[in-house]
Amino acid sequence: MQRHAVTFFAGVPTMYWALLEAEAPDLDSSRIAQNLRMAGSGGSALPVEIHRRFSERFGVTIMEGYGLSETSPVATFAPRGEKARPGSIGRPVWGWRLTWSTRTGHRYRAPTLSVRSSSAATTS
Protein backbone atom coordinates (compact mmCIF):
# COMPACT_ATOMS: atom_id res chain seq x y z
CA MET A 1 0.00 0.00 0.00
CA GLN A 2 2.81 2.34 0.88
CA ARG A 3 5.07 1.53 -2.10
CA HIS A 4 2.27 1.78 -4.70
CA ALA A 5 0.39 4.76 -3.19
CA VAL A 6 -2.84 2.75 -2.98
CA THR A 7 -6.02 4.87 -3.00
CA PHE A 8 -8.63 2.07 -2.71
CA PHE A 9 -8.22 -1.07 -0.62
CA ALA A 10 -10.70 -3.97 -0.63
CA GLY A 11 -10.28 -6.95 1.63
CA VAL A 12 -11.81 -9.45 4.01
CA PRO A 13 -11.74 -8.78 7.78
CA THR A 14 -8.61 -10.89 8.35
CA MET A 15 -6.68 -8.67 5.92
CA TYR A 16 -7.65 -5.55 7.89
CA TRP A 17 -6.70 -7.24 11.15
CA ALA A 18 -3.31 -8.20 9.66
CA LEU A 19 -2.68 -4.61 8.51
CA LEU A 20 -3.38 -3.32 12.00
CA GLU A 21 -1.23 -5.96 13.70
CA ALA A 22 1.73 -5.76 11.29
CA GLU A 23 5.00 -4.87 12.97
CA ALA A 24 7.03 -3.84 9.94
CA PRO A 25 9.74 -1.35 10.85
CA ASP A 26 9.44 0.41 7.48
CA LEU A 27 5.64 0.81 7.68
CA ASP A 28 4.66 4.48 7.51
CA SER A 29 0.96 4.70 8.41
CA SER A 30 0.84 8.44 7.77
CA ARG A 31 2.17 7.95 4.23
CA ILE A 32 -0.46 5.30 3.52
CA ALA A 33 -3.15 7.56 5.00
CA GLN A 34 -2.14 10.43 2.67
CA ASN A 35 -3.12 8.35 -0.37
CA LEU A 36 -5.88 6.04 0.87
CA ARG A 37 -9.34 7.41 0.02
CA MET A 38 -11.66 4.42 0.39
CA ALA A 39 -11.70 0.94 1.92
CA GLY A 40 -14.25 -1.81 1.40
CA SER A 41 -14.80 -5.10 3.19
CA GLY A 42 -16.88 -8.22 2.64
CA GLY A 43 -16.71 -11.95 3.16
CA SER A 44 -17.81 -11.83 6.79
CA ALA A 45 -18.80 -9.30 9.42
CA LEU A 46 -16.08 -6.80 10.28
CA PRO A 47 -15.65 -6.34 14.04
CA VAL A 48 -16.46 -2.85 15.33
CA GLU A 49 -13.01 -2.69 16.95
CA ILE A 50 -11.35 -3.14 13.53
CA HIS A 51 -13.51 -0.32 12.14
CA ARG A 52 -12.43 1.98 14.95
CA ARG A 53 -8.72 1.13 14.85
CA PHE A 54 -8.45 1.33 11.05
CA SER A 55 -10.18 4.71 10.99
CA GLU A 56 -7.89 6.04 13.73
CA ARG A 57 -4.72 4.75 12.05
CA PHE A 58 -5.44 5.48 8.38
CA GLY A 59 -8.17 8.15 8.50
CA VAL A 60 -10.58 6.11 6.35
CA THR A 61 -13.88 4.49 7.29
CA ILE A 62 -14.28 0.93 5.98
CA MET A 63 -17.47 0.46 3.98
CA GLU A 64 -19.06 -3.00 4.23
CA GLY A 65 -21.04 -5.04 1.77
CA TYR A 66 -22.55 -8.45 1.21
CA GLY A 67 -22.45 -10.71 -1.78
CA LEU A 68 -22.13 -14.21 -3.13
CA SER A 69 -20.63 -15.74 -6.23
CA GLU A 70 -24.18 -15.86 -7.58
CA THR A 71 -24.58 -12.10 -7.11
CA SER A 72 -21.53 -11.34 -9.21
CA PRO A 73 -20.09 -10.50 -6.54
CA VAL A 74 -22.07 -7.91 -4.57
CA ALA A 75 -25.73 -7.55 -3.63
CA THR A 76 -25.49 -4.84 -0.96
CA PHE A 77 -22.98 -2.16 -0.06
CA ALA A 78 -22.77 0.80 2.31
CA PRO A 79 -23.82 4.00 0.53
CA ARG A 80 -20.88 6.28 -0.19
CA GLY A 81 -21.07 9.61 1.59
CA GLU A 82 -23.29 8.34 4.41
CA LYS A 83 -22.05 7.72 7.93
CA ALA A 84 -20.80 4.14 8.27
CA ARG A 85 -22.79 1.77 10.44
CA PRO A 86 -20.33 -0.92 11.61
CA GLY A 87 -21.93 -4.33 11.35
CA SER A 88 -24.35 -3.27 8.61
CA ILE A 89 -24.22 -4.84 5.15
CA GLY A 90 -25.52 -1.63 3.58
CA ARG A 91 -28.32 -1.30 1.06
CA PRO A 92 -29.15 -3.33 -2.02
CA VAL A 93 -27.20 -2.20 -5.07
CA TRP A 94 -29.04 -1.45 -8.31
CA GLY A 95 -30.95 -4.44 -9.66
CA TRP A 96 -31.20 -6.41 -6.41
CA ARG A 97 -34.09 -7.01 -4.02
CA LEU A 98 -33.61 -8.44 -0.52
CA THR A 99 -36.25 -9.81 1.82
CA TRP A 100 -36.05 -11.30 5.31
CA SER A 101 -38.23 -14.27 6.13
CA THR A 102 -38.83 -15.93 9.50
CA ARG A 103 -41.93 -17.97 8.72
CA THR A 104 -42.67 -20.95 6.52
CA GLY A 105 -46.31 -21.93 6.52
CA HIS A 106 -47.28 -22.06 10.20
CA ARG A 107 -43.77 -22.64 11.55
CA TYR A 108 -41.23 -20.03 12.56
CA ARG A 109 -37.55 -20.51 11.74
CA ALA A 110 -34.27 -18.66 11.99
CA PRO A 111 -34.27 -15.52 9.80
CA THR A 112 -33.37 -16.16 6.17
CA LEU A 113 -32.17 -13.53 3.72
CA SER A 114 -33.44 -13.97 0.17
CA VAL A 115 -31.51 -12.20 -2.57
CA ARG A 116 -33.26 -11.78 -5.93
CA SER A 117 -32.45 -10.28 -9.29
CA SER A 118 -33.54 -11.02 -12.81
CA SER A 119 -29.90 -10.99 -13.90
CA ALA A 120 -28.42 -13.70 -11.64
CA ALA A 121 -29.11 -16.93 -9.82
CA THR A 122 -31.57 -16.80 -6.93
CA THR A 123 -30.19 -17.61 -3.49
CA SER A 124 -31.53 -17.94 0.03
Side-chain angles (χ1 to χ4, degrees):
M1 290 175 71
Q2 182 174 307
R3 183 179 331 136
H4 298 289
V6 170
T7 59
F8 176 78
F9 180 76
V12 297
T14 53
M15 294 170 73
Y16 285 98
W17 180 82
L19 280 170
L20 291 168
E21 297 300 318
E23 294 191 23
D26 59 342
L27 178 70
D28 184 351
S29 296
S30 62
R31 187 168 164 204
I32 293 170
Q34 287 174 356
N35 296 306
L36 193 61
R37 300 289 174 255
M38 188 174 182
S41 181
S44 66
L46 189 70
V48 174
E49 182 67 11
I50 299 295
H51 267 280
R52 183 189 63 74
R53 289 178 56 204
F54 192 85
S55 180
E56 287 174 359
R57 187 166 184 181
F58 298 105
V60 173
T61 300
I62 302 168
M63 307 305 282
E64 288 188 81
Y66 169 81
L68 307 156
S69 298
E70 297 87 349
T71 61
S72 228
V74 67
T76 68
F77 204 74
R80 189 167 184 193
E82 290 188 14
K83 183 177 178 182
R85 295 176 50 203
S88 170
I89 60 171
R91 296 185 184 158
V93 296
W94 182 88
W96 291 97
R97 184 175 40 129
L98 280 65
T99 55
W100 283 103
S101 175
T102 57
R103 188 173 176 169
T104 302
H106 297 288
R107 303 178 113 193
Y108 286 93
R109 64 177 186 209
T112 300
L113 178 64
S114 294
V115 182
R116 303 204 186 281
S117 171
S118 59
S119 64
T122 300
T123 62
S124 294

